[in-house]
Amino acid sequence: MLLLALDTATPAVTVALHDGTDVVASSSQVDARRHGELLLPAVDRVLAAAGVRLDAVTGVVVGTGPGPYTGLRVGLMTADTFGLALGVPVHGVCTLDGLAHAADIEKGPFAVATDARRKEVYWATYADSRTRLTGPAVDRPADIAERVAGLPAVGAGALLYPDTFPDAHEPEHVSAAALASLAAERLAAGEELDEPRPLYLRRPDAQVPKNYKVVTPK
């Protein structure tokens, strides 16, 4: 097994290789505006660090979000392209599940929250680092304060809104290493992973203007 994992659902552009036993190489850069520019060079670096060619990959793992439309689709389209070109399966993993898997919290329940912008968070709750209880969902922090009261939390959304998440912890962003490790565990256990389809949870910011000027000749 050699899994290529990647995620662009948060400001982190993150890539990793997992051989079925451990992560053999990884790369993460935080830049919310350059997912498209940074992802493929990161894949090249990770492959070079591991000393393998792309055609050695036996499966692709991609974070499915939730996340902003523009960034999220970069990773999903790249994963689909690799899968088609290599003839290997593409597996989806919820980005919040990856954050939960990397959380340094001894026992649950706990929450995971990422920044959804518009003063909202993408969030879910977990019984432990592998078991999601609720979500994912998108809400204003104040609207979910009672539902997450008393829970430790991880992620950029938790760190950004301490009034709702007073017991906030690292990691801030997801890592492909955590996604790959979680996917490898689930595959080894014979579990089915998600389809590589985006969890947008809300409409994109970009909209077609309702009253645009026609410039083509009649």
Side-chain angles (χ1 to χ4, degrees):
M1 178 188 291
L2 187 63
L3 296 175
L4 173 65
L6 50 96
D7 193 295
T8 57
T10 75
V13 179
T14 179
V15 179
L17 277 173
H18 196 289
D19 65 3
T21 301
D22 205 352
V23 175
V24 295
S26 63
S27 170
S28 291
Q29 295 170 273
V30 177
D31 192 328
R33 298 182 180 274
R34 298 177 62 211
H35 292 96
E37 297 175 48
L38 298 176
L39 183 56
L40 290 179
V43 172
D44 287 341
R45 283 196 306 274
V46 167
L47 292 170
V52 299
R53 292 166 51 95
L54 182 61
D55 58 11
V57 169
T58 61
V60 181
V61 177
V62 61
T64 57
Y69 178 82
T70 303
L72 182 53
R73 66 179 178 173
V74 171
L76 286 160
M77 291 303 297
T78 301
D80 279 344
T81 301
F82 281 149
L84 287 171
L86 299 172
V88 301
V90 180
H91 307 289
V93 176
C94 174
T95 297
L96 301 183
D97 290 358
L99 269 164
H101 191 66
D104 187 19
I105 296 176
E106 292 186 3
K107 60 181 181 179
F110 64 92
V112 173
T114 59
D115 183 14
R117 305 173 187 172
R118 305 185 193 173
K119 298 182 180 180
E120 293 179 332
V121 293
Y122 298 117
W123 68 285
T125 59
Y126 292 80
D128 54 51
S129 62
R130 295 168 180 79
T131 309
R132 192 181 340 137
L133 293 173
T134 63
V138 58
D139 290 288
R140 290 183 177 272
D143 293 340
I144 61 170
E146 291 186 5
R147 299 172 66 180
V148 299
L151 298 183
V154 300
L159 295 165
L160 189 60
Y161 297 101
D163 288 345
T164 299
F165 304 99
D167 188 11
H169 302 263
E170 299 285 345
E172 182 175 3
H173 302 301
V174 71
S175 73
L179 282 179
S181 296
L182 180 58
E185 284 185 17
R186 290 177 173 173
L187 290 171
E191 299 177 22
E192 289 191 11
L193 275 68
D194 297 335
E195 292 291 322
R197 297 294 176 261
L199 294 168
Y200 291 130
L201 300 191
R202 68 185 183 199
R203 297 179 64 84
D205 291 328
Q207 300 287 335
V208 175
K210 293 182 179 179
N211 298 307
Y212 56 88
K213 183 178 180 181
V214 177
V215 296
T216 55
K218 294 182 179 180

